[in-house]
Amino acid sequence: LGAIHVETPDQSLNVLANGWLLYQTLACRLWARSATYQSGGAFGFRDQLQDMLTFLLTDPSLVRSHLLLCAAHQYEKGDVQHWWHAPRTGVRTRISDDLLFLPYITALYVVTTGDEGILSERAPYLVSEPLNAGEEDRYETPALSSDEDTLLSHCLRAVDAVRFGAHGLPLMGGGDWNDGMNGVGGEAGESVWLAFFFCVTLERF
């Protein structure tokens, strides 16, 4: 908790920045998984990957292990479990931005730590039938693939899973970061936000 220390004229900001926010992220978001809007104790694919940014400079070993955990919650088609309870009972959705957080955070991790070896670490895929036409999501306990693949391959599969709409922008799918946009997605709704995120992910990766 003392890895980062700042001193500002605002004592309340000092209290937040010097340990408290990091503690809150570690204890509440990563370990308990009981933060606001996420009180069920499940891992959120995008949620905890976003939280990992907190630990890039304070405990990168947490980021490393979590990247491999998330890779093992990616389906063979490249989509991922939106959330799951350990070991892998969760929901398969059409939400489109989830999968890009794996290559995005992986790229930031490698650039920050210099640990290129993580790209050769291996993880299995989830195995189940793809969502049927008209099926928005499915709560399930999928199997694990018998073969494992490198984290690099998992990241590339995530990028390749992005689908594009009539104007060349990524399809929103079941929602892009803002889950309240689900009704705009589906097979037609495109996302400018996801286009920017897609470009940033490719540049960093």
Side-chain angles (χ1 to χ4, degrees), residues 2 45 51 83-84 98 120 135-136 146 157 170 174 194 199 205:
F45 194 91
D51 296 334
W83 59 260
W84 73 89
D98 280 352
S120 300
E135 189 179 16
E136 293 185 8
S146 56
R157 194 170 294 206
L194 187 57
C199 289
F205 202 73

Side-chain angles (χ1 to χ4, degrees), residues 17-132:
N18 295 324
W20 175 248
L21 290 177
L22 189 60
Y23 168 77
Q24 189 179 40
T25 304
L26 182 65
C28 185
R29 294 289 299 164
L30 184 61
W31 288 345
R33 297 180 296 282
S34 61
T36 307
Y37 301 118
Q38 189 186 5
S39 57
F43 285 94
F45 194 91
R46 97 162 60 105
D47 296 330
Q48 271 71 45
L49 278 173
Q50 289 176 139
D51 296 334
M52 285 298 112
L53 293 172
T54 308
F55 304 112
L56 278 176
L57 298 177
T58 58
D59 191 349
S61 66
L62 288 174
V63 186
R64 193 183 206 278
S65 60
H66 194 74
L67 284 167
L68 297 175
L69 173 67
C70 287
H73 287 269
Q74 180 187 43
Y75 290 92
E76 294 174 302
K77 294 291 186 181
D79 58 319
V80 302
Q81 279 188 315
H82 185 57
W83 59 260
W84 73 89
H85 285 98
R88 58 183 181 278
T89 298
V91 62
R92 187 174 194 174
T93 73
R94 298 185 186 277
I95 293 178
S96 54
D97 69 295
D98 280 352
L99 45 90
L100 285 178
F101 277 97
L102 183 64
Y104 178 71
I105 304 298
T106 296
L108 291 178
Y109 169 83
V110 171
V111 168
T112 303
T113 65
D115 177 17
E116 295 182 4
I118 191 175
L119 298 174
S120 300
E121 296 284 353
R122 305 184 73 83
Y125 292 99
L126 299 179
V127 179
S128 77
E129 290 297 317
L131 294 174
N132 299 314

Side-chain angles (χ1 to χ4, degrees), residues 192-204:
V192 174
W193 180 91
L194 187 57
F196 278 113
F197 185 39
F198 185 70
C199 289
V200 168
T201 299
L202 291 183
E203 289 171 353
R204 290 187 180 277

